[in-house]
Amino acid sequence: MKFIRELKEGDRVFDIYLCKHKQSAVTKNGKPYENVILQDKTGTIDAKVWDPGNPGIGDYDSLDYIEVYGDVNNFQGTLQINVKRIRVCKEGEYNPADYLPVSSKDRDVMFQELLNLVKGIENSWFRQLLEAFFVKDEDFAKKFRYSSAAKTVHHGFVGGLLEHTLSVTKLCDYYCRAYPVLKRDLLLTAAMCHDIGKVKEISPFPENDYTDDGQLLGHIVMGSQMVAEKAAEIAGFPHVLLTQLQHCILAHHGKYEYGSPKLPALMEALALNYADDTDAKLETFKEILENNSENQGWLGFNRLFESNLRATREK
């Protein structure tokens, strides 16, 4: 198959893709059409079914694997597929691994590296808490290894939550060496727990969308709740350690307008905020460059970075 990242304007596609999303709509002239998002392991692309009543358009729905025939066009600087025919595929016609974006890094290796960091936590209370999540709670650990870190913005792939968490934790470990005043056990525990709420906020692949709890509460609040619940199962867990850990989680987005219920009041909370923001933004930039690898010029204005972006030139 020709993967989405390989598509270019003028291509004709006749391949199987995952229908990530389907939505009926109406043109200004009152004619019905369908907005579709197609997905494979390399990314997503918008598609339009301008004539949904055509006999060549089979009955399909979101999360179906569909064979698509159409042309790749450029609409306002973004690639889009004009779909002419659709057929729902049966199990065995496709390999699900081709349609789920997956971390380029080995999840087993990353998880073992995270467990090694857990073993290095000297404070017995924090170490017990981390082991309760990542060692003893097999259901949580499985979801954590498989989950994405976001729906679309960064690390939106299988293993993305694990990859992001490990990167943030390693950045925090560096901060502790550079600034010894930081309480390493608190900061690294907070780093490993800062996004655990995402296993409840975002549904599993292939859906990878916000759950009702995710919409109503968000991963920051749910993560703080999850930590409190686990700590309650550990007899004698010190209240001061719990509240400081929860504060780091509640403040890790740094600002109210970014979704943080609290602003950083501890140095460890500030360090976690910067580590989280650094990894999220650099991964986002990396993914933008990967998705525009053939474009050596300016990539256009990006709202997240508030700048016109481009790849660095070596010559």
Side-chain angles (χ1 to χ4, degrees), residues 20-227:
K20 172 80 171 178
H21 181 71
K22 171 191 176 183
Q23 182 181 42
S24 298
V26 179
T27 66
K28 293 180 180 179
N29 297 326
K31 183 180 178 181
Y33 71 98
E34 292 171 349
N35 286 311
V36 180
I37 298 177
L38 301 175
Q39 174 179 298
D40 65 23
K41 67 180 182 181
T42 67
T44 60
I45 188 170
D46 289 334
K48 293 287 188 288
V49 181
W50 295 114
D51 189 9
N54 187 313
I57 304 297
D59 186 18
Y60 70 102
D61 210 340
S62 297
L63 304 185
D64 282 339
Y65 290 90
I66 57 177
E67 185 178 61
V68 175
Y69 175 78
D71 299 314
V72 180
N73 303 317
N74 188 315
F75 179 72
Q76 296 182 346
T78 302
L79 292 182
Q80 186 180 93
I81 297 179
N82 182 1
V83 179
K84 307 292 180 61
R85 294 203 299 270
I86 288 177
R87 178 182 68 86
V88 175
C89 300
K90 299 177 181 178
E91 190 173 343
E93 291 186 74
Y94 54 86
N95 179 4
D98 289 335
Y99 301 90
L100 302 182
V102 180
S103 172
S104 60
K105 300 176 182 177
D106 189 303
R107 278 179 286 156
D108 291 337
V109 173
M110 287 193 292
F111 193 67
Q112 186 57 54
E113 194 171 352
L114 193 72
L115 292 180
N116 290 339
L117 287 165
V118 170
K119 292 177 183 177
I121 299 297
E122 296 181 358
N123 183 288
S124 63
W125 298 109
F126 284 142
R127 189 171 63 253
Q128 287 180 73
L129 182 69
L130 291 171
E131 288 173 348
F133 278 114
F134 298 105
V135 179
K136 297 179 180 179
D137 192 336
E138 295 181 2
D139 181 61
F140 167 82
K142 181 179 179 180
K143 291 177 180 176
F144 184 84
R145 288 161 56 101
Y146 191 76
S147 294
S148 72
K151 180 181 175 181
T152 55
V153 181
H154 69 90
H155 296 89
F157 43 77
V158 174
L161 179 57
L162 171 58
E163 183 177 321
H164 172 61
T165 299
L166 181 60
S167 295
V168 170
T169 305
K170 290 163 75 173
L171 279 171
C172 288
D173 198 20
Y174 163 74
Y175 289 165
C176 292
R177 294 193 298 272
Y179 304 96
V181 65
L182 288 165
K183 301 296 186 283
R184 182 179 184 273
D185 288 345
L186 170 61
L187 179 52
L188 265 63
T189 301
M192 285 184 264
C193 292
H194 82 283
D195 269 354
I196 57 174
K198 288 188 175 180
V199 302
K200 295 184 177 182
E201 181 184 48
I202 302 174
S203 58
F205 283 98
E207 188 176 25
N208 193 49
D209 204 350
Y210 291 108
T211 63
D212 287 347
D213 286 354
Q215 294 279 16
L216 293 171
L217 301 175
H219 73 279
I220 294 177
V221 171
M222 288 191 288
S224 176
Q225 291 175 334
M226 290 166 68
V227 162

